[in-house]
Amino acid sequence: MGSHQDSTRDDTPDHLPTPATAAGREGLDALLAGPGRAVIALDFDGTLAPIVADPDRARAHPDAVPALAGLAPKVAAVAVITGRPAEVAVRHGGFADVPGLDHLVVLGHYGAERWDAATGTLTTPEPHPGVAAVRAELPGLLEHSGAGQGTWTEEKGHAVAVHTRRAPDPQAAFDTLRAPLTALATRHGLIVEPGRMVLELRPPGMDKGAALREYARELDAGSVLYAGDDLGDLPAFTAVDTLRAEGTPGLLVCSGSDEVPELRERADVVVDGPAGVVRLLRSLATRLA
């Protein structure tokens, strides 16, 4: 793992790193050669925004929006793909009414919701009935789980997330809760998506890979870059692999975290968290100037 990590990391300002794989190099070359058909897609938490103990306090890296605004006019589109409600991501990201971000879309709830910067419109479906049922049962389950203090739930509209990062032993609480939460989700027609000290209960068929594939095909993308940091981003990585197999070059970027080695191993480029993502976006904008 060390050699792969070292070969893909490059934190020099305004210098594009060399992808570690041939497919990644092809994806970067295609993006640079045809930016007008390139789709830049990014996760929010851990990729554009640093991970914090309280997700309500998460905000985009202070240089993220300027970097996106500098790059967005030079590519086909920029998409933020997140498990959060689109409206929350827009607010926490500071994406509304930003000059240069007309081509930005936020695909919230794994693509179930969509916010378009050009119009400020939000489209959202009715919530899955299983989410309300799970929400009602969660307090009792958590109280009797033995997972300890510090676990708490995050209301996400179309999903509910249980966080363990504040627990005295976050990993032990995570491991204790995984089986009962999976059983609860299954009873109500939902699935459990594990992440970095979080277990999210949500409807099946909603993932970042499906959202990315649909959006890339909607725009007839000539190339796709996807950047993420967590297990929930693995379906988007798989989507890029699928697009590559179908003839659309792609570049996979890991916003580095030692908590998710699976993502690092599959990435073409590893950067140092949101600050590294910002540097990469700036470097792309500079190269396309």
Side-chain angles (χ1 to χ4, degrees):
M1 183 173 77
S3 61
H4 180 88
Q5 175 183 339
D6 294 341
S7 66
T8 58
R9 183 184 293 281
D10 193 321
D11 295 331
T12 305
D14 297 329
H15 179 78
L16 282 174
T18 300
T21 66
R25 292 189 290 274
E26 181 183 353
L28 179 58
D29 289 345
L31 191 162
L32 296 174
R37 293 188 61 210
V39 171
I40 309 296
L42 310 107
D43 168 49
F44 185 71
D45 293 282
T47 301
L48 288 175
I51 293 291
V52 293
D54 181 356
D56 285 339
R57 295 182 178 274
R59 296 295 184 270
H61 185 284
D63 296 324
V65 169
L68 288 170
L71 178 61
K74 302 173 182 179
V75 298
V78 172
V80 175
I81 305 178
T82 174
R84 286 181 180 268
E87 192 175 29
V88 172
V90 171
R91 184 169 65 250
H92 289 193
F95 300 134
D97 302 318
V98 176
L101 283 187
D102 293 348
H103 292 169
L104 176 77
V105 302
V106 176
L107 303 176
H109 285 307
Y110 306 93
E113 294 186 344
R114 176 166 170 166
W115 177 86
D116 285 270
T119 61
T121 58
L122 173 69
T123 56
T124 181
E126 290 296 319
H128 189 290
V131 175
V134 159
R135 188 183 296 120
E137 292 186 38
L138 262 178
L141 184 150
L142 293 176
E143 183 179 352
H144 296 97
S145 67
Q149 296 181 340
T151 59
W152 61 283
T153 60
E154 178 188 4
E155 174 55 54
K156 303 180 77 170
H158 293 271
V160 180
V162 178
H163 294 262
T164 67
R165 192 174 290 273
R166 297 178 189 168
D169 187 337
Q171 187 63 54
F174 180 95
D175 293 341
T176 297
L177 286 171
R178 189 162 186 170
L181 287 179
T182 298
L184 174 64
T186 300
R187 285 203 308 276
H188 296 292
L190 305 180
I191 62 170
V192 170
E193 177 73 42
R196 293 163 68 179
M197 299 304 124
V198 60
L199 293 154
E200 183 171 304
L201 292 77
R202 59 179 171 83
M206 295 168 53
D207 66 51
K208 294 177 183 178
L212 179 59
R213 283 195 307 274
E214 183 176 339
Y215 190 63
R217 288 168 180 162
E218 174 188 329
L219 294 185
D220 190 24
S223 63
V224 176
L225 178 154
Y226 184 81
D229 76 304
D230 205 348
L231 292 172
D233 297 300
L234 286 172
F237 272 36
T238 298
V240 172
D241 287 336
T242 300
L243 289 166
R244 285 168 166 174
E246 295 171 351
T248 302
L251 181 65
L252 296 171
V253 178
C254 175
S255 177
S257 168
D258 292 334
E259 293 179 17
V260 192
E262 299 96 325
L263 212 67
R264 298 175 69 91
E265 286 299 312
R266 289 186 58 181
D268 304 309
V269 170
V270 178
V271 298
D272 188 18
V277 171
V278 166
R279 282 192 291 271
L280 177 62
L281 296 172
R282 283 176 165 173
S283 297
L284 284 170
T286 299
R287 183 67 67 88
L288 296 174

